[in-house]
Amino acid sequence: LKGRRDEAIKCMESVFHGHPENHQAMRILGSLYLGKRRFKEGQKLLHKAVKYFPNDASLFVELAESYERINPVVALEHYDKAIKVLTEKKQELPYQLWNNVGVLKHLLGKSKVAKSAFKQAREKLLQQQLQSNTNDGPKNNADGDTKNVAKSTSSSSKDDTTNQMEIEQDEAAVSSSSSSSSSQPPILASIQYNT
């Protein structure tokens, strides 16, 4: 994959330099640069690209992710823009987005706002898990036997209980870490969704 990304960069550089008005090439090249950790080049191109694609939340998320470790304030500004775009489009906000907002707010010492973002993340994750469990439903074996339905239902309840316990532990960790300066910061999540 590493060699292919280099090839893709060369190809997109050729397209972009030959046609600098090609905004899609600008966007793709910016993303490729970020993937190669060429942050300044990638950020510069993506900042230009958002002028042409102002309603593309994934661009704002990509910019936010590129700033998370070097400038959390700028990262939050881009996450806020992504949230605004998704909200205006009445699209679902991924739980990872809320998680990352919570992490950055926590790192900036805004624990109450961070806790609110983590609650949003938890609600989105639980909704996603419920939808996943609902869509799976019980399955019959080749003979149409549903003996394992009770087993899968109790297993699902156990999984839900385990997930709830993990979430409560995570909340406790956030609460205690906001009062403890020596604790590890929360983890940033990778955001992947269709636009």
Side-chain angles (χ1 to χ4, degrees):
L1 180 65
K2 187 176 182 180
R4 298 184 138 250
R5 185 170 290 175
D6 290 336
E7 289 175 37
I9 287 174
K10 287 179 185 176
C11 180
M12 291 311 299
E13 284 175 337
S14 174
V15 170
F16 181 65
H17 294 303
H19 304 280
E21 74 285 352
N22 185 331
H23 306 127
Q24 198 65 15
M26 175 190 309
R27 177 196 177 146
I28 293 168
L29 184 57
S31 294
L32 288 168
Y33 282 154
L34 290 180
K36 287 292 287 183
R37 305 184 73 70
R38 293 168 61 178
F39 293 112
K40 288 186 181 190
E41 293 167 289
Q43 289 166 340
K44 182 179 177 183
L45 288 176
L46 291 183
H47 278 290
K48 287 182 183 178
V50 296
K51 293 176 186 174
Y52 301 103
F53 303 101
N55 294 317
D56 188 338
S58 66
L59 273 174
F60 292 113
V61 168
E62 202 166 358
L63 275 166
E65 289 174 339
S66 74
Y67 281 103
E68 286 172 341
R69 292 185 178 18
I70 58 173
N71 193 335
V73 173
V74 173
L76 280 169
E77 290 171 5
H78 290 297
Y79 278 129
D80 287 342
K81 290 175 185 175
I83 290 169
K84 182 180 177 193
V85 167
L86 291 170
T87 303
E88 287 174 356
K89 289 181 170 183
K90 296 182 178 28
Q91 291 183 342
E92 197 66 27
L93 279 71
Y95 72 89
Q96 298 96 328
L97 192 149
W98 287 115
N99 176 76
N100 291 5
V101 168
V103 169
L104 293 170
K105 293 286 187 178
H106 173 76
L107 292 174
L108 293 171
K110 299 178 180 181
S111 59
K112 286 184 181 181
V113 181
K115 190 172 184 176
S116 173
F118 287 130
K119 282 183 180 182
Q120 287 285 338
R122 182 183 91 186
E123 288 173 16
K124 297 293 181 186
L125 180 59
L126 289 174
Q127 286 174 357
Q128 182 179 332
Q129 288 174 336
L130 286 174
Q131 287 174 347
S132 176
N133 289 343
T134 303
N135 292 339
D136 290 344
K139 295 186 174 55
N140 296 344
N141 66 15
D143 299 326
D145 186 8
T146 57
K147 290 179 188 173
N148 292 325
V149 171
K151 184 178 178 183
S152 72
T153 303
S154 67
S155 172
S156 175
S157 297
K158 184 178 179 182
D159 290 345
D160 291 345
T161 303
T162 303
N163 290 338
Q164 184 62 34
M165 289 172 45
E166 289 172 354
I167 289 167
E168 289 170 0
Q169 289 171 348
D170 290 345
E171 284 182 341
V174 169
S175 296
S176 67
S177 67
S178 63
S179 61
S180 167
S181 61
S182 64
S183 65
Q184 293 284 6
I187 305 297
L188 292 163
S190 177
I191 302 172
Q192 297 177 0
Y193 59 93
N194 298 327
T195 56

